[in-house]
């Protein structure tokens, strides 16, 4: 159980798996290669779903890889001690994950042609997903109530900092050839077309039966039962024995079941204020 964060450059991080020394080394020295693919998200935006999909694109829909190798080894987190060490000497094209805000991503990214997929999600759903997820972990400060977590989220006093700043930072990459922006909402609404879009971006082609297998094996229910993808292998070490739920509901709009009318109105006001300068079509939720 943790009652604090690990702060680095003014941003709060989990207390396990992250150290300032390692984060500084990754920031200064990690070398992105042109053939790398980076999956970037603010936490709880559907990261693991996207990783599963990209893995299945690389394996042409064959589930052997996703059923035999833990998700954090298939696409390691560059900012964690474990992920950085497994990535830095890895040969060939790499899948890499990160939740880092733009100002902390290894600087070499900006001199490489690595392909970046940035996945966004309705922050109200991100908030609810995070509230239920982090409270089962041993490495994040626990909120006593949703009301308290709501206040922390608005202020950016949650793992990886402010959602609003994360989006603003990364949106400065919008329009670059190697930067694809997707939303959890479009992935949910039309998974097949969104996977096609990802394939095109990555220059990969799937036969219809390979795509069908990808869709089946990355579905909520199949992922929930795949112990290589559902984080259940981390129970006891990083998460509560009984809980540790990554695949909780997997829907859009669950925030409506948890957030009060007053909180929703306050959130709308803050959203308008902070996000007014960005094109509203970036936010495909009601
Ligand atoms: N195959 C899938 N289909 C739909 N949603 C998925 C999914 N796999 C994970 N998710 C959802 O993505 C969220 C976790 O995001 P991340 O991987 O960034 O931590 C969870 O949201 P909920 O908590 O709203 O259910 C989880 O259920
Ligand atoms: C420190 C380990 C850890 C494991 C899983 C996490 O969640 S997520 O994959 O980013 O959603 C975060 C930290």
């Amino acid at each position: 159980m943790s009652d604090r964060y690990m702060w680095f450059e003014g941003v709060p991080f989990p207390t396990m798996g992250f150290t300032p020394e390692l984060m500084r080394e990754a920031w200064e020295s990690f070398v992105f290669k042109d053939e790398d693919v980076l999956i970037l998200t603010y936490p709880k935006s559907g990261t693991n779903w996207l990783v599963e999909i990209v893995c299945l694109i690389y394996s042409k829909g064959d589930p052997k890889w996703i059923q035999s190798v833990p998700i954090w080894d298939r696409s390691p987190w560059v900012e964690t001690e474990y992920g950085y060490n497994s990535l830095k000497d890895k040969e060939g094209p790499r899948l890499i994950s990160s939740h880092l805000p733009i100002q902390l991503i290894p600087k070499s990214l900006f001199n490489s042609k690595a392909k970046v997929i940035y996945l966004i999600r309705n922050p109200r759903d991100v908030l609810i997903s995070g509230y239920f997820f982090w409270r089962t972990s041993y490495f994040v400060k626990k909120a006593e109530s949703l009301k308290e977590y709501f206040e922390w989220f608005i202020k950016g006093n949650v793992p990886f900092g402010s959602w609003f700043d994360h989006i603003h930072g990364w949106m400065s990459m919008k329009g670059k050839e190697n930067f694809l922006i997707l939303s959890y909402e479009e992935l949910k609404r039309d998974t097949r077309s969104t996977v096609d879009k990802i394939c095109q971006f990555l220059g990969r082609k799937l036969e219809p039966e390979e795509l069908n297998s990808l869709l089946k094996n990355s579905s909520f229910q199949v992922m929930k039962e795949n112990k290589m993808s559902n984080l259940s292998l981390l129970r006891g070490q990083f998460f509560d024995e009984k809980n540790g739920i990554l695949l909780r509901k997997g829907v859009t709009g669950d925030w409506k079941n948890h957030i009060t009318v007053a909180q929703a109105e306050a959130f709308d006001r803050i959203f308008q204020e902070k996000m007014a300068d960005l094109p509203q079509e970036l936010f495909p939720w009601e």
Side-chain angles (χ1 to χ4, degrees):
M1 166 103 57
S2 182
D3 59 358
R4 59 190 179 88
Y5 292 118
M6 190 287 284
W7 289 84
F8 180 68
E9 295 286 318
V11 178
F13 291 95
T15 50
M16 291 168 77
F18 296 76
T19 65
E21 296 73 25
L22 185 286
M23 291 191 72
R24 186 163 303 283
E25 184 179 331
W27 191 25
E28 302 287 348
S29 311
F30 183 80
V31 181
F32 276 100
K33 304 181 208 169
D34 290 348
E35 61 271 29
D36 289 338
V37 173
L38 172 63
I39 293 170
L40 257 180
T41 60
Y42 184 85
K44 314 322 294 173
S45 301
T47 327
N48 290 277
W49 187 17
L50 181 57
V51 170
E52 201 80 332
I53 288 172
V54 173
C55 289
L56 284 160
I57 292 174
Y58 274 67
S59 71
K60 292 193 146 284
D62 184 338
K64 270 201 252 25
W65 191 30
I66 64 158
Q67 288 169 353
S68 56
V69 180
I71 195 158
W72 56 85
D73 282 331
R74 285 183 262 129
S75 183
W77 304 91
V78 66
E79 59 266 33
T80 64
E81 209 154 17
Y82 180 81
Y84 174 76
N85 286 321
S86 64
L87 282 168
K88 70 179 191 320
D89 301 319
K90 198 167 172 188
E91 299 292 328
R94 299 169 297 185
L95 291 185
I96 303 174
S97 299
S98 180
H99 288 318
L100 287 172
I102 193 166
Q103 72 276 17
L104 298 180
I105 200 78
K107 294 172 184 172
S108 67
L109 178 68
F110 304 106
N111 302 318
S112 86
K113 296 195 182 97
K115 290 189 174 161
V116 180
I117 309 180
Y118 188 71
L119 181 69
I120 65 173
R121 186 183 190 188
N122 187 335
R124 299 159 187 85
D125 284 327
V126 167
L127 187 161
I128 294 301
S129 182
Y131 173 67
F132 286 111
F133 181 74
W134 299 122
R135 63 195 284 191
T136 70
S137 83
Y138 296 149
F139 49 82
V140 164
K141 190 172 154 188
K142 304 265 172 319
E144 291 202 336
S145 62
L146 178 55
K147 184 168 179 292
E148 185 173 49
Y149 189 79
F150 184 94
E151 298 303 324
W152 291 359
F153 187 90
I154 299 290
K155 291 188 190 129
N157 193 11
V158 287
F160 297 85
S162 159
W163 180 89
F164 304 97
D165 292 351
H166 205 279
I167 302 288
H168 266 111
W170 283 109
M171 281 312 107
S172 62
M173 297 282 283
K174 185 172 177 289
K176 294 217 182 319
E177 207 183 345
N178 63 336
F179 193 77
L180 176 68
I181 304 172
L182 298 174
S183 68
Y184 180 92
E185 288 70 21
E186 69 178 309
L187 203 47
K188 263 313 275 188
R189 195 173 50 249
D190 191 347
T191 314
R192 190 176 285 268
S193 305
T194 313
V195 170
D196 278 341
K197 212 192 238 187
I198 301 171
C199 285
Q200 263 190 20
F201 177 70
L202 298 178
R204 304 257 161 170
K205 183 159 172 20
L206 294 181
E207 296 305 325
E209 67 279 8
E210 294 168 346
L211 177 57
N212 287 337
S213 171
L214 176 154
L215 294 172
K216 183 176 116 203
N217 286 295
S218 60
S219 67
F220 183 83
Q221 213 43 52
V222 173
M223 261 189 86
K224 192 176 169 75
E225 280 154 27
N226 180 359
K227 66 177 193 306
M228 294 297 159
S229 308
N230 62 16
L231 304 190
S232 60
L233 294 175
L234 301 179
R235 278 187 196 148
Q237 187 188 359
F238 288 107
F239 298 97
D240 213 282
E241 279 295 350
K242 300 182 292 301
N243 299 306
I245 298 170
L246 173 70
L247 288 106
R248 190 184 60 93
K249 283 201 178 168
V251 298
T252 56
D254 184 46
W255 64 270
K256 293 174 193 159
N257 298 315
H258 300 279
I259 288 179
T260 66
V261 172
Q263 283 172 328
E265 286 172 1
F267 198 98
D268 286 351
R269 277 195 299 277
I270 291 158
F271 188 92
Q272 296 305 334
E273 192 185 295
K274 291 190 187 270
M275 308 310 276
D277 58 323
L278 291 177
Q280 296 306 294
E281 63 270 17
L282 272 176
F283 310 124
W285 48 80
E286 72 285 10

